[in-house]
Amino acid sequence: PTEIAIENLFVIMAGGFGRRMGSLTSDTPKPMLEIAGKPILEHLILRARNVGFRNFAIAVHYLGKIIEDYFGDGSRYGVNIKYLQETEPLGTAGALGLLEPAPGIPFLVSNADLVSNIDFAALLEFHNAQSCDATMAVRTHQWQNPFGVVEIADGQVYSITEKPIVRSNISAGIYVLNPSVIGFLDSAEPCDMPMLFQRLF
């Protein structure tokens, strides 16, 4: 781990049900599913710690006690962990309204099931250099249509493209937010990140 300590808070959204995982998440929260012998959430915390993050807040709801019992206060990882208790599901952004006290400087927010080699410290530096309220990490997704695409107008074919490639920017599930963004949330209101960003536009 780096000796440089980053004071900015790192918030992890771990309250979801993970329903798309079927029986794998019937007794285990999705962030606690293992990859290479460790829970996904542990990999995430260690990656952030290794670039300097020391202060974490984990939003929990579904089977949250399993997460709390496993990570505790974070001392065995050399970090500080506190928990945001969602009494009902608040979405991928809503739990930020539970932060007490609210952060005084920009903070990171991550999905708890993030498997990535992203440099969190570099993302924070990028955000600080932009003078913006919110930064979203995105990646390019590429998909090739397996068919020839035919464009028709007024009953006439005007274009045929064989197996076109479509490229889109998709959210990587990691964000940097200024403290002012919390003012766009109600602590009792569910809110997902796309909705929060729409409010900021």
Side-chain angles (χ1 to χ4, degrees):
T2 179
E3 295 303 316
I4 299 171
I6 298 173
E7 60 180 314
N8 305 70
L9 183 64
F10 196 112
V11 183
I12 302 173
M13 296 301 183
F17 291 97
R19 289 191 176 102
R20 286 177 293 184
M21 304 300 290
S23 62
L24 290 175
T25 51
S26 57
D27 299 311
T28 305
K30 184 179 178 183
M32 296 303 290
L33 296 177
E34 292 189 357
I35 294 179
K38 292 180 184 175
I40 297 170
L41 183 51
E42 186 171 356
H43 287 286
L44 176 59
I45 291 172
L46 291 176
R47 173 170 282 280
R49 182 204 65 183
N50 290 345
V51 295
F53 289 91
R54 296 293 181 266
N55 300 306
F56 294 81
I58 303 177
V60 293
H61 176 63
Y62 175 68
L63 300 177
K65 193 170 186 311
I66 293 175
I67 294 173
E68 293 183 56
D69 288 347
Y70 187 91
F71 292 100
D73 64 2
S75 56
R76 71 185 174 109
Y77 299 98
V79 300
N80 307 303
I81 298 177
K82 63 181 180 179
Y83 296 91
L84 307 175
Q85 303 287 342
E86 299 181 34
T87 55
E88 61 181 57
L90 293 176
T92 54
L96 298 176
L98 303 176
L99 286 170
E100 289 289 345
I105 56 177
F107 58 97
L108 276 83
V109 182
S110 174
N111 294 346
D113 58 354
L114 188 70
V115 179
S116 169
N117 61 359
I118 189 170
D119 185 333
F120 299 117
L123 180 63
L124 177 60
E125 289 178 11
F126 174 85
H127 172 85
N128 289 335
Q130 300 306 305
S131 300
C132 59
D133 289 325
T135 297
M136 176 189 296
V138 299
R139 67 179 297 269
T140 300
H141 179 265
Q142 181 172 296
W143 176 78
Q144 184 168 25
N145 193 317
F147 305 102
V149 174
V150 180
E151 302 287 347
I152 299 174
D154 298 324
Q156 299 294 317
V157 173
Y158 68 89
S159 172
I160 302 174
T161 306
E162 185 64 25
K163 299 180 180 177
I165 294 173
V166 178
R167 294 178 178 85
S168 304
N169 289 322
I170 62 170
S171 171
I174 176 76
Y175 317 87
V176 185
L177 305 176
N178 282 356
S180 60
V181 172
I182 294 177
F184 290 83
L185 294 166
D186 182 324
S187 61
E189 175 193 41
C191 181
D192 285 324
M193 273 295 178
M195 183 186 300
L196 179 58
F197 270 77
Q198 286 288 342
R199 293 174 183 175
L200 297 174
F201 288 159

